[in-house]
Amino acid sequence: MSRIGFRRSIAHAVLPWLLSAAAAGLAVAADRPAAPPQPLSTEEVGRPLTLEDAIAGALAKNEGILIERTSVDSADASVEGAKGAYDPLLAVDLGWRSMTLPVNSAFSGAPEGELAPTDRNAGATASLEQLLPTGGRVAVSADSFRDTTDDAFALLSPAYQTRLGLELRQPLLRDRAIDAARVAVRVAAADREEAGESLQREVADTVAAVERAYWLVVATRRAIGVQEDAVDLASQQLEETDARIESGAAPETEAAQPRAELERRRGDLLATLEVASRAENVLKELILGDDPAAWAERLEPVDEIAIEPETVDIAESMDRALESRPEIQAAEAFAKRRRAEAAFARNQVQPALDLVLGYDRFGLAGTANPEGSGIPGLPGEVPPELDGGYSDALGQLGEGDFDDARIALQLAVPIGNRTARAAARVADNAEVQAEAEVRRLRKAIRAEVLDAAAATATAGARIDAARASREAAEVQLAAETERFQAGLSTNFLVLTRQNDLAAARLDEIEALTDYRIALTAMSRATGSLLDERRIVID
C-alpha cells in the first residue's frame, strides 16, 4: 500500500489487506449475499479477545479441520481393512444328499425290482485358510461323511469317511515379492500418512488465516483512532479559525478550508468504520460457530500489535521447511503409494510359477452292507481294519495308513501379456510423475521461504522507518501549529501537516501489521507455526 493511499483515505489503505486475505481463502464480508454490515460504533465496547482464544475458537469450529479429521479416520479404517486380507478364513459346509442315478450297466447293484441303487450322504466339510506375508496361502481342511446305500456291490453301509489335509501354495515369481494384499496395505498406509499431513496443513492454514485476520482487525481499530484524532485536529483548527474570524483577524472565507477538511475526514472515518466491520466479520467467520448472540457481539482484540523486529536465519529456516512442511510429507506419502503400485504392476508382468505342497490322511470304517451280495468269486467279508464306526474312521487319521502326499510346480505364461505390460508402463510413469512433484514442491517451498524471509526483513526495516517518519511528522505539526498561532502560517499548511502526521501514523500501523503477518507467513513457510503456537494434533 502506498503513502498516497493512506493519505487519501484509510479505506483505500485497509481494503487491499482484506482483498489479499480473500485471495488466501478468506471470505470477505462484501462478497456475502447478506445485507451490508453496520459501521462500528466508536463508543461500543466489545468482548475482549486474545489471539490465543481466537485460534482456539477456530480450531474447535472450523469445518475444514472437521473434514480433514474425518478423512484421517477413514484412512485409519482403510488401513485396518487392507490388513484384513490376512485374517484367517473359516468355511464350514454341512449337507445331506440322496441320489438315485440311472446306471448303464448290467452290474448296477440295484435292489431287485429297482433300476438303480439309492445312495444317501450326510456330512460336514471345514477349512481354515490363511494368507501369508510371503504371498503364499496355507489351508487346513477336514471332511467327515456318513454314507448309506442299497447298492448290492457296496461293501459298507453305513460307511464313515474322514479326511484331514494341509496344503501350501507359494508363488515363486508373480506375487512373490509383492501381491495384491501387500500393495493394498502399503497404499492404505501411504493414504493414511497423506491424510494426516493434510490435516496438519489445514490446521496450519487455519491458524495462519486467524492470525492474519486478527491483526487486520487490530490494524483497523488503531486506524479508527488515527482517523478520530484527525477529525479532532480538524475540528480544533476550525474552532481556532472561527475565533480569528470573530476577532476580525481573518476573513470569513478562511473557514471554508478547515470546514471542508473536517467533513472529508469525517467521511474517511465512516469509511474506516465500515472497513473495520468487514475485517471483524472475516475474523468471526473463522472463529465462531452458529450462535446468533456471538455473531451479534462485537469482538475487541486485546493483544498489542507492536513488536521488535527479529533476524531470520534463512539457511536454518529452509532446512526446517524441507523437513517439516506437511505439503512435502504428503507428496512423499503419495510417491510411496505410486512406488508400491508400480512395483506391483511390474511384478504382474512375470509368469505365474507356484510351488504346491499337499498332504492328506484318510479314514474309512463301517459295518457290512445288509443289502450287499458281493461279486461271485470275490471276498464278501468286511476286512477287520474297516469294521467299526465313526470313531474308528477318526482313529485311522492318526495311524496314517491311508494318506496322499504331493508336490507340484504350476506354471502359467500369458502369451504377449500386453495388459500387464501396459499397466506396468502406466504405473512407472505415475511413479516418475509423483517423484517429480516432490522435487518441484521442494523447490517451490525453498522459494516460498526466501520470499517470506524477504517480506519479514522488509517489513521489519519499515517499522523503524515508519516510526521515525511519524516522530518527525509530530515535530513538524507542533512547529506548524505554533507558527499558525503566532500568525506566521496558514490553514493549508497546518492541515497539510496534520494529514502528513495521520499518513505517518497509518504507515506505522501498516508496517507493524505487515510485520506481524510476515512473521506468521514465515512460520507457515518453515512448517514451525504449530510448534511455535504449542498446538498438538491428536
Side-chain angles (χ1 to χ4, degrees):
M1 285 171 283
S2 67
R3 177 182 293 274
I4 296 175
F6 273 97
R7 185 174 288 125
R8 291 183 59 191
S9 170
I10 183 59
H12 294 97
V14 181
L15 277 175
W17 287 341
L18 295 178
L19 294 177
S20 65
L26 300 177
V28 180
D31 295 331
R32 300 190 187 93
Q38 295 297 322
L40 291 169
S41 170
T42 57
E43 299 179 356
E44 181 182 353
V45 178
R47 175 170 64 90
L49 179 69
T50 65
L51 178 59
E52 185 176 353
D53 290 339
I55 293 175
L59 296 182
K61 298 179 176 64
N62 184 270
E63 290 79 10
I65 294 177
L66 175 61
I67 292 172
E68 292 298 336
R69 280 192 179 277
T70 55
S71 296
V72 170
D73 186 65
S74 297
D76 285 333
S78 296
V79 172
E80 290 299 317
K83 292 179 180 179
Y86 294 96
D87 293 342
L89 176 62
L90 175 64
V92 178
D93 184 9
L94 303 175
W96 177 87
R97 187 175 185 180
S98 177
M99 297 182 297
T100 303
L101 303 178
V103 180
N104 184 19
S105 172
F107 300 96
S108 66
E112 184 177 354
E114 302 291 336
L115 297 177
T118 298
D119 298 322
R120 292 181 174 85
N121 173 279
T125 300
S127 64
L128 184 63
E129 189 173 316
Q130 172 71 59
L131 180 64
L132 303 177
T134 61
R137 192 175 295 273
V138 62
V140 178
S141 59
D143 300 334
S144 178
F145 297 99
R146 181 182 186 277
D147 298 325
T148 59
T149 181
D150 56 4
D151 188 336
F153 298 133
L155 186 63
L156 303 175
S157 182
Y160 299 95
Q161 301 184 58
T162 57
R163 183 189 68 84
L164 181 63
L166 174 67
E167 182 179 271
L168 171 65
R169 180 180 293 270
Q170 175 59 50
L172 301 180
L173 292 177
R174 186 197 302 171
D175 293 337
R176 182 184 66 83
I178 187 171
D179 60 352
R182 279 175 283 179
V183 74
V185 172
R186 295 182 190 180
V187 166
D191 289 347
R192 169 60 180 83
E193 184 177 351
E194 186 177 3
E197 298 301 334
S198 296
L199 172 60
Q200 184 172 349
R201 182 177 65 249
E202 181 67 27
V203 173
D205 288 344
T206 299
V207 172
V210 170
E211 293 193 2
R212 187 185 306 113
Y214 186 91
W215 295 125
L216 288 176
V217 172
V218 174
T220 56
R221 297 295 169 77
R222 294 191 62 176
I224 289 174
V226 172
Q227 292 296 98
E228 288 175 338
D229 291 343
V231 169
D232 290 341
L233 288 175
S235 179
Q236 293 173 11
Q237 190 66 23
L238 179 59
E239 290 176 0
E240 291 184 13
T241 302
D242 288 340
R244 288 194 172 194
I245 294 174
E246 291 178 2
S247 65
E252 293 185 2
T253 56
E254 190 69 17
Q257 188 171 25
R259 182 173 291 109
E261 182 64 19
L262 174 60
E263 297 306 321
R264 185 191 68 80
R265 293 181 187 181
R266 284 175 175 169
D268 286 348
L269 175 58
L270 292 175
T272 305
L273 290 170
E274 182 177 353
V275 170
S277 178
R278 293 179 184 275
E280 181 179 338
N281 290 341
V282 172
L283 181 59
K284 285 182 176 180
E285 187 172 1
L286 288 168
I287 69 175
L288 297 183
D290 294 328
D291 182 10
W295 279 87
E297 189 177 19
R298 178 183 173 184
L299 302 179
E300 191 64 47
V302 296
D303 288 359
E304 287 294 330
I305 196 172
I307 187 174
E308 291 300 323
E310 303 172 358
T311 302
V312 176
D313 188 331
I314 296 179
E316 180 182 353
S317 298
M318 193 171 296
D319 291 340
R320 177 161 188 173
L322 295 177
E323 179 182 353
S324 304
R325 281 289 290 271
E327 292 88 342
I328 292 182
Q329 307 299 329
E332 290 179 346
F334 185 73
K336 288 181 184 179
R337 170 178 181 153
R338 290 306 190 202
R339 283 193 287 271
E341 293 172 342
F344 177 69
R346 288 191 294 268
N347 181 266
Q348 296 305 295
V349 176
Q350 299 180 3
L353 179 62
D354 295 347
L355 172 65
V356 181
L357 301 176
Y359 182 74
D360 294 284
R361 284 188 175 186
F362 303 91
L364 175 63
T367 56
N369 182 5
E371 303 294 335
S373 58
I375 300 178
L378 295 179
E381 298 293 329
V382 175
E385 296 82 2
L386 301 183
D387 189 14
Y390 180 66
S391 60
D392 298 297
L394 290 176
Q396 291 178 8
L397 295 178
E399 296 171 0
D401 294 336
F402 309 103
D403 61 3
D404 176 16
R406 57 196 180 278
I407 181 171
L409 286 175
Q410 296 181 352
L411 177 65
V413 182
I415 305 301
N417 206 11
R418 289 181 293 175
T419 300
R421 293 182 185 277
R425 183 176 176 183
V426 171
D428 286 339
N429 290 334
E431 180 183 5
V432 171
Q433 292 170 355
E435 292 175 349
E437 176 62 21
V438 173
R439 294 192 297 271
R440 185 202 66 78
L441 188 58
R442 290 174 66 87
K443 292 192 294 184
I445 287 178
R446 288 180 185 272
E448 185 178 343
V449 171
L450 291 176
D451 290 342
T456 302
T458 301
R462 284 172 51 208
I463 292 177
D464 291 335
R467 183 181 296 120
S469 177
R470 185 256 305 162
E471 292 172 352
E474 289 174 348
V475 173
Q476 290 175 333
L477 175 59
E480 200 65 47
T481 301
E482 290 179 359
R483 287 171 57 84
F484 179 81
Q485 292 173 350
L488 300 177
S489 183
T490 64
N491 276 324
F492 174 78
L493 293 177
V494 173
L495 294 174
T496 299
R497 293 304 184 188
Q498 291 178 0
N499 285 335
D500 289 342
L501 176 58
R505 293 178 65 186
L506 293 175
D507 281 345
E508 185 177 9
I509 295 172
E510 175 193 6
L512 289 170
T513 304
D514 286 348
Y515 186 69
R516 280 286 192 177
I517 294 176
L519 285 180
T520 300
M522 188 66 195
S523 298
R524 173 68 182 86
T526 58
S528 61
L529 182 61
L530 300 186
D531 291 340
E532 293 174 2
R533 304 303 183 267
R534 300 186 302 276
I535 296 174
V536 179
I537 301 176
D538 295 333

